[in-house]
Structures are given as structure tokens and as C-alpha cells.
Amino acid sequence: MAKTNPLPEGLRFYPGFLDRQQQERLVDQVRDVVTVAPLYVPVMPKTGAPMSVRMTNCGPLGWVTDKDRGYRYQATHPLTGKPWPDIPSEIGAIWDAVADYCKPPEACLVNFYGEDAKMGLHQDRDEQDFSAPVVSISLGDTCLFRVGGLHRKDPTRSFRLESGDVLVLGGESRLRFHGVDRLYPGSSTLLRQGGRINLTLRRVNP
Ligand SMILES: O=C(O)CCC(=O)C(=O)O
Ligand SMILES: [Mn+2]
């Protein structure tokens, strides 16, 4: 659908932005990040219900969530208490290529989706600066991505994000609701054990 219908202003889709070799290098770099900053199971504010993705971060700030303090950015890993590792330069370079923004990203959220993981419809709005776009990189199994409007009940459209695709939510689309409905297990050979990695680059402070 996204490939035929024009996308709304500010939503930019770059199918196949990364070739296989670049994808493999990014996976190696994510593995290095995970060695220092292990994946953990995030929980929803208030209810403490676990999310189905596993998460970690790299960059000066990381996006975290827990039962008592909710969604926020912080400079340290919630379990190890150590600073997040740096954003690998090749990941930062993707921001430089597509973000059209004068400052570097401060946070790179790493989401790992096992075959049953999904992410409910939400807005990315824990940042101080909405003038910077959100840049999202997909690696591994294809997912069904859904994007709506600025209100939760607005109509949505769905399209597949494949390994190597890059999606930018900027401009009027910066605060669009979006989510991941499902994975297509076995659709990619990039990750030996299957699953999907999503890297979300964000600017937090103006
Ligand atoms: O996995 C994706 O493609 C989207 C992730 C996302 O929206 C988020 O982490 O805020
Ligand atoms: Mn999001």
C-alpha cells in the first residue's frame, strides 16, 4: 500500500535503504551494544504489565519504562546502572542521511521482537523536541506496521516493513499514532534465530 498510495506529509518510507552487507554490519553492532547493555523486558506504567518486545538502548539517553516512574529518558541502563554505549557510527550515519535535522540523535532505542511480539498503537511523545523526526530502521523478519493520525481513533493504514527498510516520521507526521501488529516469522534470513530488530533514533532535547 505504501508503495502505491502517496504517504502523508512528513512520513517518508525508504524501502531497501540498507543492502544485505550493511544490514549484517548493523546486526553485529547491535550485538556489541547488547553485550554492554543487555536486553530486558520493559513493563507498562501503572499496571506493570510486561511488553512483548525486549529492549535496550544506545546513545547519551535511553528510553525506558517501568511501573512506578513510567515512560522517560535516562542516561543509564535500568538494570546495570551503567551509561548506555555510544550509538555506532554507521547507525548515526543513517540519521545523517535521512533525518534532515541539524543535530545528532540522542537516543537509539533497540527493540527486539520474537515471533509473537507486537507493539500497540502509540505516539512517540516523551521527547522535548518534536521538530526533530523519528527515524526507524528495520532488520530481520518483516512486520506489519500500522500508522494512523494524530488521534487514537483516526483511520489507520498498514504496510509491511522489511529488513533494510527505513521509515521517517517527521513534520506533520511526527506525532502520528503507529504500532506493529505482527511479525512474519521466517520471512528473513538475517537473524539466525529469527525475529526482528527495530532501531528507533530520536532527538530528545531541543
Ligand atoms: O518496531 C517498530 O517498527 C516501531 C517501534 C516503535 O514505534 C517504538 O519503539 O516507539
Ligand atoms: Mn513509536
Side-chain angles (χ1 to χ4, degrees), residues 1-102:
M1 186 179 206
K3 287 170 187 167
T4 51
N5 280 10
L7 290 171
E9 197 283 321
L11 190 68
R12 301 202 307 275
F13 182 40
Y14 299 90
F17 187 82
L18 304 168
D19 67 25
R20 175 75 185 208
Q21 279 190 340
Q22 290 172 302
Q23 294 171 40
E24 286 172 0
R25 283 202 302 273
L26 255 52
V27 171
D28 287 342
Q29 289 162 12
V30 171
R31 282 191 215 290
D32 292 343
V33 165
V34 168
T35 305
V36 180
L39 289 167
Y40 57 92
V41 177
V43 301
M44 300 294 284
K46 298 194 178 89
T47 63
M51 294 175 69
S52 58
V53 293
R54 291 188 290 149
M55 271 181 193
T56 189
N57 289 270
C58 51
L61 293 171
W63 186 88
V64 298
T65 169
D66 61 28
K67 189 171 187 289
D68 299 325
R69 293 172 65 201
Y71 302 150
R72 63 192 187 277
Y73 282 92
Q74 65 180 39
T76 53
H77 189 288
L79 301 183
T80 67
K82 290 190 200 153
W84 305 105
D86 290 342
I87 298 177
S89 58
E90 212 166 327
I91 296 176
I94 298 170
W95 171 277
D96 295 342
V98 301
D100 192 21
Y101 193 74
C102 54

Side-chain angles (χ1 to χ4, degrees), residues 109 111 119-120 122-125 134 145 169 176 178-179 198 200 202:
L109 174 64
N111 289 308
M119 191 175 287
H122 66 277
Q123 291 172 296
D124 287 10
R125 53 177 316 139
V134 171
F145 186 82
L169 275 79
R176 277 182 193 279
H178 58 278
N198 165 259
T200 292
R202 304 194 191 103

